[in-house]
Amino acid sequence: MLAAGMLTLAAFTPHIPPVADKTLPPPDPNTTTEVPQDNKLVIYQLMTRLFGNKVALNKPYGTIAENGCGKFNDITDKALDEIKKMGVSHVWYTGVIEHATMTDYTAAGIPADDADVVKGRAGSPYAIKDYYDVDPDLAVNVKNRMAEYEALIKRTHDKDLKVLMDFIPNHVARSYKSDAKPAGVLDLGAKDDKTKAFAPNNNFYYLPGKSFVVPAGYNPLGASKGPQEDGKYSEVPAKATGNDVFSEAPKIDDWFETVKLNYGVDYQNNRATHFSPVPDTWVKMRDILLYWAGKNVDGFRCDVAEMVPVEFWAWVIPEVKKVKPDIIFIAEAYNPKEYKTYIEKGKFDFLYDKVGLYDALRRLMRGEGTTEDITKVWKEESRGFSSHMLRFLENHDEQRIASKDFATDPMRAIPAMTVTATLASGPVMLYSGQEVGEPARGSEGFSGEDGRTTIFDYWGVPEHQKWLNQGKFDGAKLGPAQKDLREFYSRLLNLAASSDAIRRGKFYELQDANNLGKEYNQKYVYAYLRYTDKQQLLVVVNFNPDRAYKPTINIPAEALTAMGLNPKKFYTYTDLLNGGEPRKSLYLTLAPMSAYVFEIKP
């Protein structure tokens, strides 16, 4: 009875709100409480097909014989040495897995593809034809292609570099059929019930009773005729298209060369989910990831990761890490509202920061934005998890900085890339050719002239080829401005890779402390601190392409105290990015499109 009475009393205990502790200062609006994690990977992305290609013909829609093609074997010890000298820790070999192509490899036992469902003469590396094989284009000896890739992995590891590769989970080529799958592995779709539009264990989505229709007006090779090109492709019943198009007749700007994989989401019935028991597609994709992990790769860049349910990632990433705990997963992600979900629930190590920092810096480089866009990124979009955001200014999907579609002048990257590399302690990425100002001129074929280096066509990358120098990888053909640009990237990335403050330091923005300064034009000038107990840095950049500024940078007392420095003492400032003698004041001359990283010392 006594116990019951006590329970009754407990039930009626009034709720007294806690008294606010008035001794605590309000949070400082110039920083966050995030504890940075040392995730400063320096990633060099290279399109394997393009990187080692020495042929300079560049004929639109050219064949592999005409325009040439880089091979695994072209990525030599010397090439890797030169990449590593730039401070790089990870190389992302893009376009490795076998994909649909118009090049005929029937002699090597690989069935030919129909041009009506291939984009570009070489084909998209994201229209996978066999998850268990590598692209025959990349091999000197096609029958020895896997051994050549394995040798590249070993060569990379021997240089103390790690290997990243693509994992394309959302869609496959219409012609998908694995010839290289291990014994006992069933092919995708082998057991599908094709009479049903959706079934939880089907690998594909079907449109029963309908035949696939090639988009009207698709012209695979311009004036030339592609292999088997006749405007038709036999697929009965038609499958749903990769970009979630549930029609037998996708449009020409859809991903019509691909078919969507079924992860247990019934799109046509309010996206009802069927995740228990674990769907067959989940198991097949786990086994594919484990197959490549078994080849000793160190991580995966996961294509359009948000088009696959987060529940799959929450299941599969721990499954792979049980076997290889240190393997990393990077999500190509574009929805800031879902970032936290894909990190916390989905277990991704890193996400693309495209919609936040990339887009903000792109606007600034084009004279369209202000530095407030950068503030919004750290204050709102990636607040609390900036160490998990992968930052970049170029990749295979984005336009080249030096293209007329983006910034024209590759030197505009200097302030933007400095922010990209030093704003937080997450990874930074460079795309092959960026460091020499590749402008992506010319209409390559399917790709057209769009400011991007093609992923669909056989092509040589002209400015990159000057550095490549017929396989010498010595940069002998680069002009003085290109050598200066490459040297800037090398200094910046080596600094980011080695600096204690950049790798694991806290962040403090200085815009509020300086915005009243007459020479501090905060539309273009941006300044912040990165600091640990071992190192304190001041980063200052000027995005204005035409005007120099001469501000005196103010570091407020509370920021000095936060860094463990005495506000009453004097300090010297040494520019770690550009060199020079230590200076005793922060009266600066900021040249147009410039960047500075000062180490603060007593």
Side-chain angles (χ1 to χ4, degrees):
M1 283 300 289
L2 184 61
M6 287 175 73
L7 283 169
T8 308
L9 281 170
F12 283 95
T13 304
H15 174 67
I16 302 166
V19 178
D21 183 352
K22 290 181 179 160
T23 60
L24 285 175
D28 190 327
N30 300 295
T31 187
T32 74
T33 56
E34 180 180 349
V35 179
Q37 297 170 45
D38 182 356
N39 290 335
K40 191 52 77 180
L41 285 52
V42 180
I43 300 170
Y44 188 84
Q45 181 195 3
L46 63 86
M47 180 63 73
T48 319
R49 179 200 294 155
L50 302 176
F51 181 81
N53 185 19
K54 305 175 188 78
V55 181
L57 178 67
N58 283 358
K59 174 184 171 184
Y61 296 107
T63 64
I64 190 169
E66 292 168 325
N67 280 356
C69 182
K71 310 290 182 186
F72 294 128
N73 290 2
D74 290 327
I75 305 165
T76 59
D77 285 329
K78 170 71 166 151
L80 293 166
D81 283 337
E82 294 304 314
I83 290 169
K84 188 175 170 67
K85 277 183 198 167
M86 294 189 79
V88 170
S89 59
H90 291 66
V91 187
W92 167 16
Y93 296 119
T94 306
V96 164
I97 300 178
E98 187 191 327
H99 56 80
T101 178
M102 293 189 208
T103 303
D104 188 351
Y105 286 103
T106 46
I110 299 168
D113 290 300
D114 187 324
D116 292 298
V117 286
V118 180
K119 287 182 178 173
R121 173 85 72 176
S124 166
Y126 295 95
I128 297 303
K129 184 171 160 180
D130 187 346
Y131 276 123
Y132 287 100
D133 207 349
V134 297
D135 180 10
D137 280 347
L138 305 178
V140 175
N141 176 349
V142 174
K143 291 196 169 166
N144 199 35
R145 58 193 178 276
M146 187 62 80
E148 290 185 25
Y149 180 47
E150 288 165 348
L152 173 60
I153 295 170
K154 183 178 185 303
R155 210 159 46 245
T156 310
H157 286 155
D158 287 347
K159 297 295 180 185
D160 199 25
L161 290 162
K162 294 194 183 301
V163 173
L164 304 177
M165 66 181 287
D166 292 288
F167 174 56
I168 298 90
N170 176 69
H171 50 268
V172 294
R174 291 210 114 86
S175 60
Y176 186 91
K177 186 181 185 305
S178 177
D179 318 306
K181 60 187 182 293
V185 172
L186 275 179
D187 222 349
L188 286 166
K191 284 196 160 181
D192 281 8
D193 181 350
K194 296 178 185 180
T195 66
K196 291 181 177 165
F198 168 83
N201 275 323
N202 276 0
N203 299 134
F204 299 115
Y205 296 97
Y206 296 94
L207 300 153
K210 296 184 174 174
S211 301
F212 173 73
V213 181
V214 174
Y218 180 51
N219 186 4
L221 290 179
S224 306
K225 200 83 166 162
Q228 304 173 55
E229 183 188 340
D230 58 4
K232 300 188 187 84
Y233 181 75
S234 178
E235 182 181 280
V236 188
K239 300 185 186 91
T241 292
N243 58 323
D244 299 356
V245 173
F246 288 79
S247 163
E248 75 282 8
K251 296 187 176 68
I252 203 158
D253 55 355
D254 287 322
W255 305 349
F256 67 83
E257 81 281 25
T258 68
V259 289
K260 173 88 174 171
L261 283 165
N262 170 13
Y263 282 82
V265 181
D266 189 353
Y267 283 83
Q268 292 169 296
N269 282 299
N270 298 318
R271 295 182 177 242
T273 57
H274 302 260
F275 299 153
S276 183
V278 169
D280 184 69
T281 302
W282 291 25
V283 176
K284 282 189 163 70
M285 300 316 265
R286 176 200 62 191
D287 293 347
I288 289 159
L289 285 164
L290 289 171
Y291 172 81
W292 293 108
K295 299 280 183 198
N296 216 11
V297 304
D298 302 289
F300 298 102
R301 176 268 188 192
C302 302
D303 191 60
V304 293
E306 292 162 316
M307 293 183 77
V308 171
V310 72
E311 291 83 357
F312 165 71
W313 299 114
W315 176 81
V316 82
I317 291 175
E319 286 277 299
V320 177
K321 290 196 177 194
K322 272 186 217 163
V323 178
K324 191 164 185 179
D326 294 335
I327 204 157
I328 64 168
F329 282 81
I330 301 168
E332 180 192 14
Y334 299 111
N335 182 0
K337 292 184 180 130
E338 292 295 327
Y339 285 171
K340 215 166 177 188
T341 307
Y342 275 76
I343 294 166
E344 291 177 0
K345 184 178 177 183
K347 312 286 187 198
F348 271 101
D349 298 290
F350 307 110
L351 311 183
Y352 269 34
D353 193 351
K354 192 273 179 198
V355 174
L357 193 64
Y358 168 89
D359 281 353
L361 294 172
R362 181 183 168 100
R363 287 191 292 274
L364 274 160
M365 291 163 78
R366 289 168 57 84
E368 295 163 359
T370 75
T371 64
E372 286 174 19
D373 294 343
I374 304 173
T375 303
K376 184 175 189 288
V377 171
W378 71 258
K379 207 171 236 189
E380 297 172 30
E381 283 189 353
S382 57
R383 188 183 186 96
F385 51 85
S386 69
S387 301
H388 294 280
M389 301 308 287
L390 165 66
R391 267 79 191 246
F392 54 83
L393 286 182
E394 282 189 6
N395 64 46
H396 68 277
D397 282 319
E398 307 302 339
Q399 290 171 325
R400 293 286 193 176
I401 295 159
S403 73
K404 65 184 190 316
D405 306 86
F406 187 164
T408 310
D409 183 354
M411 294 298 177
R412 287 200 179 205
I414 287 172
M417 195 67 196
T418 302
V419 172
T420 298
T422 68
L423 189 71
S425 63
V428 58
M429 184 166 77
L430 183 72
Y431 184 38
S432 171
Q434 177 183 343
E435 71 273 35
V436 294
E438 176 56 46
R441 287 194 199 97
S443 178
E444 303 104 332
F446 176 82
S447 201
E449 186 148 14
D450 61 359
R452 297 171 180 84
T453 298
T454 180
I455 66 168
F456 302 99
D457 310 282
Y458 297 112
W459 203 249
V461 185
E463 302 311 310
H464 164 73
Q465 285 179 330
K466 292 177 182 175
W467 174 71
L468 169 70
N469 191 18
Q470 292 298 312
K472 295 191 186 80
F473 298 101
D474 60 4
K477 295 184 177 174
L478 295 172
Q482 288 177 304
K483 287 179 179 173
D484 287 349
L485 183 67
R486 194 171 188 280
E487 180 56 32
F488 156 73
Y489 276 104
S490 186
R491 290 195 312 271
L492 173 65
L493 295 177
N494 274 292
L495 176 60
S498 60
S499 157
D500 191 63
I502 295 169
R503 290 194 71 98
R504 60 181 196 89
K506 291 187 174 175
F507 167 88
Y508 194 100
E509 189 183 83
L510 295 174
Q511 297 303 84
D512 283 354
N514 289 278
N515 60 15
L516 297 177
K518 199 168 69 157
E519 275 285 311
Y520 193 95
N521 183 340
Q522 69 166 354
K523 179 180 177 184
Y524 295 110
V525 178
Y526 191 69
Y528 52 94
L529 304 165
R530 293 293 311 282
Y531 62 93
T532 63
D533 52 350
K534 293 196 181 91
Q535 187 183 41
Q536 298 80 36
L537 298 181
L538 163 66
V539 182
V540 188
V541 296
N542 174 16
F543 286 97
N544 195 318
D546 307 309
R547 185 166 164 203
Y549 296 101
K550 296 189 174 182
T552 299
I553 302 295
N554 173 39
I555 303 176
E558 57 268 30
L560 287 163
T561 305
M563 289 195 289
L565 303 178
N566 185 340
K568 294 180 179 169
K569 288 199 169 170
F570 291 97
Y571 296 92
T572 62
Y573 308 91
T574 307
D575 187 353
L576 302 182
L577 184 57
N578 307 295
E581 292 299 307
R583 52 194 307 142
K584 290 182 180 172
S585 87
L586 284 175
Y587 172 63
L588 305 177
T589 299
L590 308 177
M593 299 186 299
S594 61
Y596 310 84
V597 180
F598 295 105
E599 186 168 33
I600 307 168
K601 291 220 164 164

